[in-house]
Amino acid sequence: MTARSITVAAIQTSYGQDLAANIAKSEAFVREAARGGADVVLPSELFQGIYFCTRQDPKWFETAFPVDAHPCVIALKKLAGELGVVIPISFFEKDGPRYYNSVAIADADGALLGVYRKSHIPDGPGYQEKYYFRPGDTGFKTWKTKRGHIGVGICWDQWYPETARAMAVEGAEVLFYPTAIGSEPYDDALDTHLQWQRAMQGHAVSNAVPIVASNRIGLEDNEGVKQKFYGHSFISDHRGELVEQFGAADEGILKHTFDLGLIESYRADWGFFRDRRTDLYARSII
């Protein structure tokens, strides 16, 4: 089997209110990752500002832009072309009167391959996304980039095995999840980072595919509503082992190289996709 490898990277850092400063901070980390040989670099969810969904305020709709006009998309797709890396760019998308939590895929030549819109939209204390975002209408998507065939979900998507399986069936060789997750306002003592990691480690095991998850850190104050993000970004291999991980306050880049040919052979050997029973699933899970 032809030797093929991919080096993936995840950014973990804090973000503030200043859009330009957040873009510049992300650009600096992408450059650092590229210098270290990264092929795909993942910033966290909605990295261009604070995670504003902790409360409902119509002012935040003014921070949404069409994909071709969003400042962070414009800046990072240019950077992707300059550095020769792939960047899944999380952004608040405006499409006419419709608003989405989206990711634009910037290929290693700076071209935009398209947009994925978050399918699963949470609604609860601290995560009031249904006020801002429509459920995505793109379906689950994968992308044949110049650095590999990847799949990208967004935050709440990562808890659903159907998301990972759909992308794996479409041929994704690595799954990426930009995330914004942390404290629960109704219980300051609740820390779900282990459940969060284990859910995705399960996806890695059952699909024999590496997982890259990028979360933010720090305490954010959204006009009196405070949320502390718990970090713990990680990279899992195709067997579910955490090969790279951060703690709750680490800032920087996680990076790991995978042998895609070896993983492809492992996946075929386990037979997960050979033994699927799609004739039974529709009536069982809907």
Side-chain angles (χ1 to χ4, degrees), residues 127 179-185 187 190-193 215-216 218 227-231:
Y127 305 92
T179 297
I181 188 169
S183 60
E184 302 292 342
D187 185 353
L190 184 60
D191 182 343
T192 62
H193 86 267
N215 192 19
R216 63 175 65 205
Q227 183 87 308
K228 186 174 183 179
F229 295 89
Y230 57 49

Side-chain angles (χ1 to χ4, degrees), residues 93-95 98 100-103 115-121 134-141 154 157:
E93 181 188 8
K94 176 177 170 58
D95 178 19
R98 298 168 293 275
Y100 299 97
N101 187 338
S102 300
V103 165
V115 170
Y116 166 69
R117 292 167 172 166
K118 186 173 182 177
S119 300
H120 303 94
I121 309 298
R134 292 167 61 97
D137 59 359
T138 59
F140 305 118
K141 304 184 76 169
I154 304 172
D157 288 333

Side-chain angles (χ1 to χ4, degrees), residues 98-160:
R98 298 168 293 275
Y99 295 84
Y100 299 97
N101 187 338
S102 300
V103 165
I105 307 300
D107 207 350
D109 59 359
L112 283 184
L113 299 184
V115 170
Y116 166 69
R117 292 167 172 166
K118 186 173 182 177
S119 300
H120 303 94
I121 309 298
D123 185 30
Y127 305 92
Q128 299 181 38
E129 294 195 13
K130 280 188 168 66
Y131 175 76
Y132 296 102
F133 312 127
R134 292 167 61 97
D137 59 359
T138 59
F140 305 118
K141 304 184 76 169
T142 65
W143 313 93
K144 293 182 178 179
T145 76
K146 294 184 180 300
R147 300 293 178 257
H149 193 168
I150 68 172
V152 182
I154 304 172
C155 202
W156 194 223
D157 288 333
Q158 68 208 352
W159 293 88
Y160 293 83

Side-chain angles (χ1 to χ4, degrees), residues 13-27 43-53 60 62-66 70-76 87-94 100-104 133 154 178-180 216 220:
T13 189
S14 59
Y15 293 104
Q17 297 272 3
D18 189 295
L19 171 68
N22 293 329
I23 291 175
K25 190 174 192 178
S26 299
E27 286 182 331
S44 59
E45 182 184 20
L46 298 172
F47 63 88
Q48 56 269 192
I50 66 168
Y51 177 74
F52 54 83
C53 305
W60 292 107
E62 298 174 10
T63 67
F65 296 88
H70 199 290
C72 77
V73 176
I74 293 170
L76 290 191
I87 309 175
I89 308 167
S90 174
F91 71 107
F92 189 8
E93 181 188 8
K94 176 177 170 58
Y100 299 97
N101 187 338
S102 300
V103 165
F133 312 127
I154 304 172
T179 297
R216 63 175 65 205
E220 296 181 0

